[in-house]
Amino acid sequence: MSAPRRLVVGAVLLVGSVALGLAVAGSLFLTSSRTVVLVGHDTVVRPTLARDAVVETGPLLPDLRFRDVGPLGVTLTLGKTEVGTVEELVERYALIAGDPAAPIEKVEGVVLDMAVSAALRGFAVGLLPVAIFLLLGRRRRAELARGLGTRRGLLALALVVTLPVLVWQPWVGDEETQEDQGSWETLEEFVGPDVVLPEEARAIEVRTGPVTTQSKRLVLSAVDTYDKSKAFYSAAAEAAVELPALGLRAPEEGETVALLVSDRHDNIGMDRVARAIGEAAGASVVLDAGDDTSTGQPWEAFSLDSLDAAFEDWERFGVAGNHDHGTFVSTYLADLGWTMLDGEVVDAPWGGTLLGVDDPRSSGLGSWRDESGLSFAEVGERLADGACAAAEDGERLSTMLVHDANLGREALDRGCVDLVVGGHTHVQNGPDAVDGEDGATGYTWTNGTTGGAAYAIALGSKPRRDAEVSLVTYADGRPVGLQWVRLRTNGTWQVGEWEPVTPGP
């Protein structure tokens, strides 16, 4: 074969392979789906070319459409979730919509992952003609070319063309559905001129029909909840910049500040507020003392996504609380890049060391999970053993992060830790000095509920009780002071005195 002919054949083969790969990748992408946990639901994500985001909520609530979200669109089909009533479900939607950054980022990540997967598969299929061409060799290719002129060759060529059509079956269509009979109208049109909507919600479209039209009362309730929630938490986050004037201490040169959160119980509205408080105090580390959820079930992943989005550029450490039942919470946050403490001493960003473990009542016991039935006291002894072993090696533990500060009492009594921090009680307490063995002194500190939770429930248009975070100041690898900041249910602030601590030796 002459050089020009080889170039022509190579170009044709390359163009054909690229076209085949693109066609396969596009087809796979547009027909693919991925099931994730989103806004508390098992949700099927499907990409589209419509440039709109459509949320299919089920038979009782109206579907929603967000226009022109990007170069590609997406359809989100909501599935199972844990909820007591439809009203409670709608309220949850409204609260999540008040701070939608985490769900949006999750959907974008899923769609991007689907696109990459489809592209790789399309690339692999596109290489098939090249591989077959090379494997056949010049002699066999010549024989096949001559064979195409025969009756058998024409029959084989017809089969090759027919097989993809039989697989595709373009003549098969879906029956007309109730969805096809509905029509889209803006939320502003749906609720009527007497209702004042937030500016960002007016362009949302609702699919109307004989059933969903009866859901107007639920939609109005959701709009009211959304408006109140967004207004309350947005105002609080903006007002946090004024906290230094109320006594919030700024770190001095060489100091590191860690933000302590606990008992969020799904209140994602407080995440941006906690972040704003941390920024006002110069914090760069977040310590999560657990109870981020109410049940520890996968449907509560929306809460963990929100927490992660709020602090994605900080150093992040955490443990699970007693309401974070099982291992889902710890595993999920670890997959998001959090350092979830499991009973082993780790280096801390402030230059000291950090130790912690999931609350034993959550049935997640870190590296001790193979030992079932350990009591609260036994887990406390294991933590004390680890802290004291580190101290004997010349690495006195600067901080123990636990859900319930009582879990660190044994380590304090032995004089092996500077500071134990936790939550659990929903009431702030400390700093309390504890005199340990050999003249050592450590401190214990309990944060209130960051979610403003009453019992294990915090989700609402505002905190159910005062919401609180704590700030831990470190210098030379050891804690030197603590301070609490509290957002009251009426939107006002309380800032505690900065309490110096002097652990010894």
Side-chain angles (χ1 to χ4, degrees):
M1 185 184 295
S2 63
R5 186 178 179 185
R6 284 198 299 270
L7 288 175
V8 171
V9 171
V12 171
L13 186 61
L14 178 62
V15 171
S17 297
V18 170
L20 176 61
L22 289 175
V24 171
S27 177
L28 287 175
F29 177 64
L30 293 175
T31 57
S32 61
S33 64
R34 190 75 58 84
T35 300
V36 298
V37 178
L38 191 71
V39 295
H41 289 264
D42 296 339
T43 303
V44 179
V45 181
R46 296 184 180 88
T48 70
L49 294 176
R51 299 187 57 176
D52 301 330
V54 177
V55 183
E56 298 177 344
T57 61
L60 298 179
L61 299 175
D63 294 341
L64 303 175
R65 182 167 69 176
F66 303 81
R67 302 305 303 270
D68 298 323
V69 296
L72 294 172
V74 66
T75 297
L76 307 174
T77 304
L78 305 186
K80 286 188 175 182
T81 188
E82 294 291 332
V83 70
T85 64
V86 174
E87 287 78 6
E88 181 183 335
L89 181 65
V90 173
E91 183 180 12
R92 186 202 300 166
Y93 293 161
L95 295 169
I96 293 174
D99 195 4
I104 290 173
E105 289 180 5
K106 187 168 187 176
V107 172
E108 290 175 344
V110 170
V111 173
L112 178 61
D113 186 61
M114 294 166 69
V116 171
S117 177
L120 291 175
R121 293 178 182 179
F123 178 74
V125 174
L127 290 177
L128 281 177
V130 178
I132 293 173
F133 181 85
L134 296 175
L135 286 172
L136 288 175
R138 184 184 303 174
R139 180 179 176 182
R140 185 58 180 158
R141 290 197 300 269
E143 293 176 355
L144 288 175
R146 290 192 296 270
L148 288 177
T150 66
R151 184 178 300 174
R152 180 178 298 177
L154 292 174
L155 178 60
L157 182 61
L159 288 175
V160 169
V161 174
T162 304
L163 281 175
V165 178
L166 293 176
V167 173
W168 179 24
Q169 296 185 7
W171 57 85
V172 177
D174 295 328
E175 294 184 6
E176 187 175 356
T177 64
Q178 296 294 326
E179 180 178 305
D180 299 327
Q181 298 177 13
S183 60
W184 292 101
E185 61 182 59
T186 65
L187 188 60
E188 192 169 25
E189 295 170 336
F190 180 71
V191 299
D194 296 332
V195 179
V196 179
L197 293 174
E199 182 65 32
E200 61 271 24
R202 293 175 184 173
I204 298 174
E205 294 184 343
V206 178
R207 193 197 303 273
T208 60
V211 176
T212 56
T213 302
Q214 305 304 317
S215 303
K216 184 178 293 188
R217 179 180 59 83
L218 293 173
V219 173
L220 292 175
S221 175
V223 170
D224 183 63
T225 299
Y226 167 84
D227 209 13
K228 290 179 179 177
S229 172
K230 190 172 182 66
F232 183 89
Y233 291 112
S234 295
E238 292 172 4
V241 298
E242 305 296 334
L243 289 175
L246 299 179
L248 184 66
R249 182 182 184 272
E252 298 178 357
E253 185 176 354
E255 293 181 341
T256 300
V257 178
L259 178 75
L260 174 65
V261 299
S262 69
D263 305 278
R264 293 172 54 254
H265 290 297
D266 295 328
N267 187 353
I268 61 175
M270 275 299 299
D271 291 338
R272 52 184 151 156
V273 179
R275 168 70 187 238
I277 296 170
E279 289 180 343
S284 58
V285 183
V286 59
L287 303 176
D288 178 10
D291 271 7
D292 289 304
T293 67
S294 296
T295 64
Q297 298 301 307
W299 72 266
E300 293 175 283
F302 75 90
S303 177
L304 308 179
D305 290 330
S306 174
L307 178 68
D308 179 66
F311 298 103
E312 61 181 350
D313 55 340
W314 287 22
E315 296 280 356
R316 302 166 297 173
F317 300 85
V319 295
N322 61 299
H323 281 281
D324 300 322
H325 299 291
T327 59
F328 170 75
V329 171
S330 289
T331 301
Y332 195 90
L333 286 176
D335 289 342
L336 291 175
W338 287 66
T339 300
M340 301 305 290
L341 304 176
D342 61 357
E344 298 293 332
V345 176
V346 300
D347 292 331
W350 52 81
T353 52
L354 180 63
L355 173 66
V357 74
D358 292 347
D359 194 284
R361 294 162 294 194
S362 72
S363 62
L365 297 178
S367 58
W368 311 317
R369 287 177 187 155
D370 56 339
E371 296 184 55
S372 60
L374 289 178
S375 67
F376 190 88
E378 288 171 328
V379 174
E381 290 176 2
R382 298 290 181 90
L383 284 173
D385 291 342
C388 294
E392 291 175 359
D393 291 337
E395 290 283 348
R396 177 176 166 84
L397 190 67
S398 67
T399 303
M400 181 180 290
L401 174 64
V402 287
H403 179 59
D404 185 342
N406 288 324
L407 201 60
R409 183 69 193 204
E410 178 71 16
L412 286 169
D413 288 340
R414 295 192 204 175
C416 299
V417 58
D418 288 341
L419 174 66
V420 175
V421 294
H424 181 60
T425 64
H426 295 196
V427 177
Q428 193 279 323
N429 188 49
D432 294 327
V434 178
D435 295 328
E437 298 175 2
D438 299 326
T441 300
Y443 291 82
T444 178
W445 175 273
T446 297
N447 183 65
T449 164
T450 302
Y455 300 101
I457 302 172
L459 204 59
S461 58
K462 66 177 184 177
R464 295 170 183 260
R465 63 190 300 176
D466 293 351
E468 183 176 290
V469 300
S470 298
L471 298 152
V472 188
T473 306
Y474 294 91
D476 299 322
R478 306 186 76 177
V480 294
L482 298 126
Q483 188 174 28
W484 55 261
V485 178
R486 192 173 295 151
L487 175 63
R488 308 200 67 186
T489 56
N490 61 3
T492 61
W493 293 99
Q494 288 182 328
V495 178
E497 294 288 335
W498 187 79
E499 299 279 354
V501 293
T502 53

